[in-house]
Each structure stands twice: as structure tokens, then as C-alpha cells.
Amino acid sequence: MAPVAAQTMDVKSIKSVAESPALSSVPSAYDFNINPNDEADPNDPEFAIPIVDMSLLTSGSPDQRSKIIHDLVKICEEWGFFIAINHGVPESLMKGMIDACHGFFSLPDEEKEEFKSGNDVLEMFKYGTSYNLALDKVLLWRDFFKVRVHPEFYSLYKPACFSEVSMEFSKRTREVALEITRAISESLGLEPNYIHDAMNMDRGLQMLAANYYPPCPQPEHAIGIPHHTDHGLVTLLIQNEMNGLQVEHNGKWLTVNGPANGFFVNLADQMQILTNGKYKSVMHRATVNNKATRISIAIPHGPSVDTLIAPAPELLEKEGQAPKYIGMNYKEYIQLQQSGKNYMKSTFDHILA
């Protein structure tokens, strides 16, 4: 049965809802309960988030690089998530990108509405609230925008600084993502450029997606983004000084706390498919708080939209395995993930071999 939309009428931005002087509790359309018993103890060594020093990949000794690549095997199998440090992207550029996104969300609603579009993830840009108002059973405590920045670069034209900052930020984060895919290729025993070439990443889809989570009067009764995996290969994420990202590890939800100049890196669905399930697309979600606005910026990197994604034949032969997933065109996969029948469910169930 198709999900019942939370509301089909025009829904106000969460920024305007949160700034209403009369707001003292979460409106019923946003009601979402989080079970505190599902949360991990951040002081438990089992939940110590892996950290990858990117400088050892790019300019370390051969032994240092080999150790990082060796460590990536366990990280990608057990976590599908790590924090990248010493990655070469200036902290001033990261902060400038967050400030530019804050500038956009601070525009009057009628100006932001100029960037509204349909529900096609491949649109040049898109602004909205919640997730997909035609499908949402519960409204999400977030406003967002998404801009396609590769293979063609597009930008918001407001605020004035946005285009210049986003172009440089998109270029520099792409360099980091490609270095990560090279290291992951090597960790699988493949040539460094294997993933780049097999996934046609020279034409790969790269988005810049910003989320705005204002303070919530009852954060335990609302959600920024519910549990999900990303559809691409690898996603890089930065945030302002407020935490809120949680990753699932060993059946518990762990709030990610990392250095201001680090990238949160999560593996996504096409990486799990390509590696035949050896490497894990991490389940994650965004929680909200009652203290201050959180802004996060996710930069998903994927194959080209016309690439057929299937388990790598070289890996199947090496591991002596049969494919666990059927091949699917990346654009079709994205559309399947965001369709009504697959709303907030695992897309993997539809492509099991």
C-alpha cells in the first residue's frame, strides 16, 4: 500500500516553524520517537570511530601508505565509516562553505522558493523541507537544498558568494573522494584506478547537499533525517559546531563527534554492490537538538548515471563467490531508492541475485 503523506498542502519551512514565538512542543505532523536505549556509549572502546590520516596516503612512506590501506579493509568491512583528517582541504574553505549555506538558509522564504523543483534527484538544484512531501508520513525537522556540481557544475545564484566558494569546495572535496576510492581499490587487491575507471567517475555524479536543522523544543520527539543509506559510492560530510549525525554500529546508534577540520566519510550503496557485500554501506541518521541550529553539508560521489553497477568480476573470481546482487543502471537505482514503494526501506532487497 502506498504511504500516506503527512501533508499534501504547502508545508512551511522548518526554519519558519521553529522561529514561531508560540512553539513550545513538536507539532503532531513532525512527531517521531527515538528510543534512547538504542544509543551507544561513546566511551565504550567498541564504538571508537576509526580515523584515517589522509596525508599518509598522499605523502607518507610506502610502509605508512600500506598500513593505512591494510587498516581500510577492517574499517570498510566492519564500519563503512571513518573520519578523514589531514586531507588538504583548508579549514577556512570548509567554514566558508558552511557560512555560504547559512547565508542561503537565512534568505526570506520567497527567495529560497525560487529554487524549488520536482522530485528528480538529478535536477540541477532543488530546495525544500522534510524529504518528499508527496510521500512523507512524518515531516522531518530540516530544510535542505541540493546542487549538482559534477560532471557539470551548477550553483545557487544567491547569496552572492555562493558560486565561488562552492566551486572551489566541490573541486577540493572531489580530490579527497578520488584519493579515498584509490585507496579502497588497493585495499581490495585491485589497481588504484579500478573503481574510478569501472564506475566512470570522470563523468561521475557529485552533489552538494546542505541540511538546516533549527533548535527543536522536544528533540526526542522529532528527527532530522531517519535511518537510511546513501545511493552513491562514497559521501563526505562536514558540519558546523553542532553534532547530530549518528551511525549504526553493532546494532547501536553512535553520535559522531569529530574534529572541526575533519571529513566524516561513509561508504554508500554502490560500493557495497561493487564489492559484493564485502564493504558495507553504513546506515545513518540525523538527530536534532534544543540548543542551536545545526548545518551539515554532504557531498555524495557516485558513478556516472549511465553506468551499470554490479559486483566486480575480478573480486568474484578472487573470492570464489557468486554475485549477491543483480546489475542495475545507477540512474535507475537512484529512482528506485527514492520511489514510493521503497520509501525509507533498503533498496538492496530489490536487487538481490
Side-chain angles (χ1 to χ4, degrees):
M1 192 169 79
V4 178
Q7 285 176 249
T8 52
M9 66 186 91
D10 278 344
V11 175
K12 290 200 297 186
S13 72
I14 195 61
K15 185 173 186 291
S16 57
V17 171
E19 289 173 354
S20 164
L23 186 74
S24 59
S25 61
V26 170
S28 59
Y30 294 88
D31 192 38
F32 185 102
N33 286 317
I34 289 177
N35 184 352
N37 296 325
D38 291 342
E39 304 214 358
D41 176 1
N43 299 312
D44 185 334
E46 179 189 348
F47 296 101
I49 294 171
I51 294 175
V52 172
D53 185 340
M54 297 293 295
S55 69
L56 300 183
L57 284 175
T58 54
S59 53
S61 69
D63 284 352
Q64 287 173 321
R65 181 177 170 82
S66 293
K67 182 179 185 314
I68 294 282
I69 287 167
H70 177 265
D71 291 348
L72 271 174
V73 177
K74 188 175 182 185
I75 292 170
C76 294
E77 286 180 350
E78 296 182 3
W79 281 85
F81 182 85
F82 59 90
I83 297 173
I85 60 170
N86 298 329
H87 43 67
V89 180
E91 189 172 355
S92 57
L93 179 60
M94 299 166 79
K95 184 176 185 309
M97 190 71 254
I98 290 170
D99 290 346
C101 292
H102 190 270
F104 173 80
F105 288 117
S106 299
L107 293 170
D109 278 1
E110 56 271 19
E111 291 190 45
K112 290 181 286 195
E113 298 276 338
E114 296 169 22
F115 297 95
K116 274 203 162 169
S117 63
N119 286 317
D120 184 353
V121 73
L122 302 178
E123 298 266 12
M124 293 180 291
F125 43 69
K126 175 184 179 181
Y127 160 73
T129 192
S130 196
Y131 172 70
N132 180 342
L133 294 176
L135 299 175
D136 293 334
K137 301 174 193 176
V138 173
L139 294 180
L140 310 186
W141 200 267
R142 69 138 187 184
D143 295 332
F144 70 90
F145 71 77
K146 298 178 181 181
V147 187
R148 183 153 44 102
V149 294
H150 195 273
E152 304 87 14
F153 175 79
Y154 295 100
S155 175
L156 307 179
Y157 48 83
K158 294 177 182 178
C161 65
F162 191 91
S163 181
E164 184 180 352
V165 175
S166 66
M167 178 177 276
E168 181 65 13
F169 181 76
S170 299
K171 187 182 94 177
R172 297 295 294 271
T173 52
R174 184 164 190 78
E175 291 167 2
V176 177
L178 293 179
E179 189 61 49
I180 289 169
T181 60
R182 280 192 286 273
I184 289 175
S185 289
E186 288 189 63
S187 76
L188 292 162
L190 301 168
E191 289 298 314
N193 285 331
Y194 181 87
I195 292 174
H196 179 278
D197 295 347
M199 300 289 96
N200 299 306
M201 289 189 76
D202 56 322
R203 297 180 284 112
L205 179 66
Q206 179 183 345
M207 307 291 288
L208 190 151
N211 298 295
Y212 181 94
Y213 308 101
C216 176
Q218 298 170 292
E220 69 282 7
H221 292 301
I223 192 75
I225 307 177
H227 65 279
H228 67 287
T229 58
D230 293 349
H231 55 66
L233 285 161
V234 61
T235 300
L236 275 56
L237 185 136
I238 63 172
Q239 62 183 13
N240 64 356
E241 62 282 357
M242 300 305 296
N243 291 332
L245 174 67
Q246 292 189 330
V247 297
E248 189 182 43
H249 183 64
N250 293 345
K252 294 284 189 180
W253 288 101
L254 176 66
T255 298
V256 179
N257 189 8
N261 60 349
F263 278 111
F264 300 158
V265 180
N266 65 268
L267 303 193
D269 292 359
Q270 305 312 308
M271 191 70 79
Q272 180 166 323
I273 295 165
L274 185 70
T275 63
N276 205 38
K278 179 178 172 69
Y279 287 177
K280 164 182 179 180
S281 179
V282 67
M283 189 71 75
H284 54 290
R285 68 186 184 186
T287 57
V288 294
N289 73 83
N290 58 7
K291 298 182 182 67
T293 294
R294 175 174 180 253
I295 290 177
S296 70
I297 305 171
I299 313 96
H301 300 261
S304 70
V305 293
D306 58 355
T307 299
L308 183 75
I309 320 296
E314 294 85 345
L315 288 179
L316 296 178
E317 187 179 341
K318 187 168 158 241
E319 306 277 344
Q321 290 181 336
K324 294 177 181 172
Y325 308 105
I326 57 172
M328 180 177 275
N329 172 288
Y330 182 40
K331 182 177 181 179
E332 290 173 6
Y333 186 93
I334 296 171
Q335 290 167 337
L336 175 63
Q337 189 204 46
Q338 309 213 344
S339 66
K341 68 178 178 181
N342 215 45
Y343 183 77
M344 296 299 171
K345 294 178 188 161
S346 170
T347 313
F348 292 123
D349 295 345
H350 294 274
I351 59 165
L352 293 173

